[in-house]
Amino acid sequence: MNPESVKTVADILRSANRICVLTGAGVSAESGIPTFRASDGLWENHAIEDVASPQGWQRNPQLVWDFYHARRAKAGSVLPNPGHAVLAQLEQRFGDRFTLVTQNVDGLHQRAGNRNVIELHGSLYQTRCTECGLVRDRGLEALDPMPHCACGGVERPNIVWFGEMLPPANWSRATKAANSCDVFLIVGTSAVVYPAASLIQTAKMQKRPARIIEFNLTETDATPYVDAGLYGPSGESLPALIHELQWD
Ligand code: BJW
Ligand code: ZN
């Protein structure tokens, strides 16, 4: 990580009024949760269309549940890392002028202390009945191999799979936050999945474009839109930034 870049990003943050953050799997990598598209990532061992699509669910719901039972168990065995902690500190500092939009389903931002979290792709902590639509908070307790609702219907993970709509109210809140921020942070996402990635363009296309800052190990599809970037593990770059700002 380049110390000059840390200073540049700190200057941007110092003058920020309204912050919107988009996070992805990379922010949880240092907690021990695998990302999706890395060579040792989740999609390396699973065909996406088998475990994260409505068609996969129709074909073999037990295979899908086995994948999510393992994901739930993993989420329950890890802790938020220093990157999550900094994002919680920023919310404390900026209050309702800070919105965290996440593609993650692991609940680690909430466990780190963020309250204003918009989950775009659902939550590992919830099930949804395929018959009556009831959404239930299930924590990370062990569930039946094929969970059922009181109405008798089969429950599925309350996760947004490929080809499915994002929860409309959450999407609407996320676009409003991206459209009204003056600083937009992109943390640990490859920015290849839409519509989540389009929030970056939304922030940039305002009449007064937001300053865009990327935190990632590498450059990504978002990099062309970025005003400054800190390239290294976000569990190190975010604490370095907060330290430079003397906000820690
Ligand atoms: C670190 C790090 C460290 C590592 N520090 N960084 C427009 C164009 C083309 C296609 C589409 C389009 N609009 C819609 C689509 C279709 C589709 C889509 O986007 N496809 C593309 C992949 C081509 N989108 C959808 O289907 C969405 N629905 C939708 O659009 O509905 C309307 C519609 C319907 C039908 C047709 C058209 C429109 C739904 C998307 C749902 C995504 N669901 C998943 C799985 C479920 C969640 C789960 O089980 O956990 O969500 S896919 C998976 O990808 C997961 C993630 O949330 C999502 C994003 O991945 P993420 O977080 O970016 O992870 P990685 O692994 O890709 O990247 C990790 C990054 O971290 C890397 O950059 C690393 O370098 C970095 N990193 N360690 C910092 N320590
Ligand atoms: Zn039901």
Side-chain angles (χ1 to χ4, degrees), residues 130 145 165 193 235-236 241:
T130 57
M165 297 293 288
V193 172
E236 295 174 16
L241 173 64

Side-chain angles (χ1 to χ4, degrees), residues 17-198:
N17 179 39
R18 206 169 268 281
I19 299 181
C20 180
V21 187
L22 174 66
T23 66
V27 76
S28 296
E30 289 153 86
S31 292
I33 297 194
T35 62
F36 292 92
R37 292 171 182 81
S39 57
D40 55 350
L42 277 174
W43 295 154
E44 198 56 24
N45 301 319
H46 295 91
I48 301 180
E49 58 277 13
D50 284 343
V51 293
S53 77
Q55 295 76 14
W57 171 257
Q58 291 304 332
R59 268 198 305 273
N60 191 345
Q62 193 61 64
L63 178 77
V64 174
W65 258 122
D66 290 347
F67 175 69
Y68 282 98
H69 288 316
R71 301 268 308 280
R72 285 166 50 84
K74 183 76 194 171
S77 72
V78 304
L79 293 171
N81 66 57
H84 294 108
V86 166
L87 295 174
Q89 274 175 276
L90 287 176
E91 179 173 324
Q92 285 238 316
R93 188 172 190 95
F94 283 85
D96 60 8
R97 294 178 292 117
F98 178 95
T99 307
L100 197 158
V101 182
T102 188
Q103 299 168 85
N104 297 346
V105 297
D106 58 30
L108 288 178
H109 288 304
Q110 292 89 333
R111 284 172 59 195
N114 281 106
R115 291 291 161 259
N116 195 6
V117 180
I118 302 175
E119 293 180 319
L120 290 183
H121 292 164
S123 171
L124 283 176
Y125 294 58
Q126 295 174 337
T127 55
R128 185 168 88 237
C129 177
T130 57
E131 295 294 331
C132 72
L134 180 72
V135 172
R136 287 205 283 165
D137 285 322
R138 306 297 289 270
L140 294 176
E141 74 198 61
L143 300 175
D144 289 344
M146 179 61 63
H148 281 76
C149 176
C151 83
V154 169
E155 289 177 300
R156 56 167 275 180
N158 193 27
I159 300 281
V160 181
W161 290 326
F162 281 112
E164 296 187 315
M165 297 293 288
L166 276 54
N170 290 8
W171 179 245
S172 161
R173 284 176 60 208
T175 50
K176 278 200 187 95
N179 210 10
S180 59
C181 67
D182 56 352
V183 174
F184 189 96
L185 313 182
I186 313 168
V187 188
T189 176
S190 57
V192 297
V193 172
Y194 281 81
S198 72

